[in-house]
Amino acid sequence: MTPVGFDPARGAVLDVLTTAPVRRRLERSAPLVAARDRFVAGPEVDQAVEVALGLGTTGRRASIQPLCRPVVDEATRREALARALEAVAAATAAKGDPRATSPLGVVLVPAALGLGSHPTSTVRSALEEVVGRAADGVVGVTLRTAATEHEDDLHGCVEAMWAASSQPLPLRVSVLARRHRGEHDCARLSDLGIPVRLVRGGPRESARTAWSDRHEADLAYVRCLSTLIAAGPRPMVATHDPALLEVTDALAEHRGRAHDIEYQMYLGAQPERQVLAADAGQTVRVLVPYGREWYDYLADLAERPATLRRLVGVLGGQG
């Protein structure tokens, strides 16, 4: 599988680096520890909350993401669900802190709720529990992109929950713009009033399901963005690409929604740009991950060329 801008040789290297023997040797190396300290808040939720609240002093919003073990059975699913509920409780408890520019949010990986490993009914039950707690605490929950083969199941759960609710839910869904289905998903979710987080990058993806040419992927991003800006809830854009950020600004200005876009970025990635954007009056939200499963998170970042460059800088002692 070859994603946008992805070097197959680099993919082979990453595959090797995530094998258990290599991983055990690298996890304690000084360069990787430095990268962990920059891109991950720490092992505990309290550390993530402190980092998130600290971002508020520079005008940035934040959402915390628990990094969990892969869900392979009922025990790991329950463990991941407990971590998700813990994150919601921590975000709720942080309300009212003077450092926060807005309530903290929570970001979850759909697989951590059992998507792809458990029946859809189990996934929906877990999601309903998380969203119910989040609604009580006025905490927004954002679901990251699901694997292609499970995207219909995830959207089905979200749409059914939305239809069954008498009021808007504090729930957002991520859409990978370069997938062939991206524009359709943006239109459908937007029509239903479901807020969308538009993602430019992402890990390796088959050419059968996503654009493999960078130019085509950029055009797909612009089409999806145009759909979201034309109508519907406030769009959230997750990209660090300077050209696409300029396009986003221009489209939002043209549609009269210049101050109705949320720009989402990773902790540790281009922090200077994040602060400048916030100072300019833009809404900037930073994803703050935490947990002991940080190695897989860094490997996931390494599959994104823009973030990989910053990760390599840290590994080389330039961060």
Side-chain angles (χ1 to χ4, degrees):
M1 296 184 293
T2 304
V4 178
F6 196 87
D7 180 358
R10 187 169 83 240
V13 171
L14 289 172
D15 288 340
V16 171
L17 293 178
T18 53
T19 60
V22 175
R23 173 176 178 152
R24 284 195 294 270
R25 288 199 300 270
L26 291 178
E27 277 184 326
R28 296 181 181 180
S29 67
L32 271 188
V33 169
R36 179 201 66 192
D37 291 346
R38 174 165 176 170
F39 293 102
V40 179
E44 305 298 337
V45 65
D46 291 346
Q47 293 169 296
V49 169
E50 276 302 304
V51 170
L53 292 174
L55 293 169
T57 62
T58 55
R60 290 173 286 177
R61 303 182 180 188
S63 291
I64 59 176
Q65 177 189 336
L67 304 177
C68 305
R69 291 191 297 164
V71 172
V72 295
D73 54 24
E74 183 61 13
T76 50
R77 187 194 71 82
R78 289 183 177 275
E79 176 186 303
L81 177 57
R83 296 290 303 281
L85 294 173
E86 175 190 54
V88 171
T92 301
K95 286 192 308 180
D97 190 290
R99 293 171 291 174
T101 57
S102 73
L104 301 185
V106 172
V107 175
L108 300 174
V109 176
L113 300 173
L115 186 70
S117 61
H118 286 70
T120 305
S121 58
T122 302
V123 177
R124 178 173 173 181
S125 176
L127 188 56
E128 287 176 337
E129 183 174 1
V130 170
V131 172
R133 299 274 188 93
D136 291 341
V138 196
V139 172
V141 175
T142 300
L143 297 176
R144 296 195 66 173
T145 310
T148 304
E149 62 270 25
H150 304 306
E151 201 161 22
D152 283 333
D153 289 338
L154 179 64
H155 289 185
C157 286
V158 172
E159 291 176 18
M161 288 173 57
W162 212 269
S165 178
S166 60
Q167 56 189 0
L169 298 174
L171 182 61
R172 289 92 171 161
V173 179
S174 297
V175 171
L176 190 57
R178 61 184 173 84
R179 282 182 180 162
H180 298 151
R181 59 180 291 167
E183 190 174 359
H184 173 269
D185 286 340
C186 285
R188 177 173 177 78
L189 293 168
S190 186
D191 286 345
L192 293 172
I194 301 173
V196 171
R197 172 181 179 260
L198 186 62
V199 181
R200 162 60 176 80
R204 280 174 278 180
E205 189 93 8
S206 169
R208 296 190 303 273
T209 59
W211 300 109
S212 57
D213 177 79
R214 181 179 295 277
H215 178 65
E216 291 290 350
D218 287 347
L219 291 176
Y221 173 91
V222 174
R223 290 194 299 270
C224 289
L225 180 62
S226 298
T227 298
L228 295 175
I229 289 180
R234 176 185 228 182
M236 294 156 281
V237 295
T239 179
H240 289 262
D241 186 285
L244 293 180
L245 289 173
E246 288 184 10
V247 170
T248 301
D249 290 344
L251 282 174
E253 183 74 28
H254 178 70
R255 287 285 186 173
R257 302 187 72 173
H259 298 289
D260 195 32
I261 302 288
E262 182 172 282
Y263 297 85
Q264 299 196 353
M265 298 181 176
Y266 293 112
L267 178 69
Q270 298 176 297
E272 298 83 5
R273 173 175 287 176
Q274 295 175 15
V275 173
L276 287 174
D279 287 345
Q282 294 176 337
T283 301
V284 177
R285 182 175 296 275
V286 180
L287 171 61
V288 180
Y290 69 93
R292 300 186 185 279
E293 302 301 320
W294 56 268
Y295 190 96
D296 289 335
Y297 176 76
L298 293 185
D300 181 63
L301 288 185
E303 293 202 9
R304 295 158 169 79
T307 313
L308 175 64
R309 288 192 291 272
R310 294 170 187 87
L311 182 57
V312 169
V314 175
L315 294 177
Q318 302 170 19

